[in-house]
């Protein structure tokens, strides 16, 4: 099987899963929370183990505290996935605000270039999305948001892989045609 077909199949699979996730966003949001909980437990455990190997009392204490916090968060997400989903949705909203503010500040440093308006608009849209999430902070939206974002990302990723596969398929033909001309 050629490489472009593998990329095409992977892209189509990502699109199919994206559609599936968008069909059940609450289930996907809870799954994201559960995976986050497992990853926090693993990284927290590794952080605690690593804390015993670092040098310096301050570094050791900081590493052990950080590991304990990650273990606590991981266990909390796994023990209470609905509350964990609400927490992660709040974190996403905060990241939208921080990213929006950062891009707006960056856009003013780009004033007079072709990148000013796209960067400014991108930042404003991030702030608008955060405001929309905050204004509609119902349990339903909060529980669905992570799944919706995951589904959209899977669709974008799938389409990107499909386009890349088609590019790879046509690339050798373009190189051959350029050599013949």
């Amino acid at each position: 099987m050629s490489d472009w077909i593998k990329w095409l199949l992977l892209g189509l699979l990502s699109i199919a899963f994206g559609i599936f996730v968008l069909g059940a966003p609450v289930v996907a949001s809870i799954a994201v929370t559960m995976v986050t909980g497992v990853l926090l437990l693993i990284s927290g455990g590794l952080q605690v183990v690593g804390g015993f190997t670092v040098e310096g009392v301050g570094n050791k204490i900081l590493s052990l505290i950080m590991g304990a916090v990650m273990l606590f968060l991981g266990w909390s997400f796994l023990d209470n996935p609905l509350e964990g989903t609400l927490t992660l949705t709040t974190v996403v909203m905060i990241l939208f605000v921080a990213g929006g503010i950062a891009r707006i500040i960056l856009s003013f440093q780009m004033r007079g270039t072709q990148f000013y308006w796209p960067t400014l608009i991108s930042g404003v849209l991030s702030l608008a999305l955060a405001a929309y999430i905050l204004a509609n902070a119902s349990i339903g939206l909060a529980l669905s948001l992570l799944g919706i974002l995951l589904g959209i990302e899977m669709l974008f990723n799938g389409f990107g892989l499909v386009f890349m596969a088609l590019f790879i398929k046509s690339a050798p033909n373009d190189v051959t045609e350029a050599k013949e001309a």
Side-chain angles (χ1 to χ4, degrees), residues 4-176:
W4 78 271
I5 292 176
K6 292 175 189 175
W7 288 113
L8 179 68
L9 292 176
L10 187 60
L12 293 174
L13 189 64
S14 182
I15 291 169
F17 279 126
I19 292 169
F20 175 75
V21 166
L22 287 174
V26 174
V27 173
S29 293
I30 293 172
V32 166
T33 302
M34 301 294 280
V35 168
T36 302
V38 168
L39 292 175
L40 281 168
L41 281 177
I42 292 169
S43 60
L46 292 173
Q47 182 78 26
V48 168
V49 169
F52 291 109
T53 63
V54 297
E55 299 203 12
V57 176
N59 291 339
K60 190 174 296 253
I61 291 172
L62 181 62
S63 184
L64 292 172
I65 290 172
M66 290 300 297
V69 168
M70 284 191 276
L71 285 169
F72 171 76
L73 284 174
W75 181 257
S76 176
F77 282 0
L78 292 175
D79 194 38
N80 303 303
L82 293 177
E83 289 85 1
T85 302
L86 297 175
T87 301
L88 286 177
T89 301
T90 303
V91 169
V92 167
M93 183 183 64
I94 291 168
L95 290 174
F96 284 163
V97 169
I101 291 171
R103 282 193 301 280
I104 289 171
I105 291 170
L106 179 64
S107 73
F108 286 110
Q109 294 173 354
M110 298 177 174
R111 191 171 214 124
T113 69
Q114 64 185 2
F115 305 111
Y116 170 72
W117 284 108
T119 306
L120 179 66
I121 291 169
S122 171
V124 169
L125 288 176
S126 287
L127 289 178
L129 184 57
Y132 176 79
I133 294 168
L134 183 62
N136 297 295
S138 67
I139 298 294
L141 175 66
L143 289 178
S144 299
L145 181 67
L146 295 175
I148 291 169
L149 292 174
L150 176 64
I152 291 170
E153 174 58 27
M154 291 181 83
L155 286 175
F156 286 168
N157 181 61
F159 286 121
L161 289 172
V162 167
F163 293 140
M164 185 181 76
L166 297 174
F167 173 76
I168 290 172
K169 179 185 177 191
S170 67
N173 296 336
D174 292 343
V175 172
T176 306

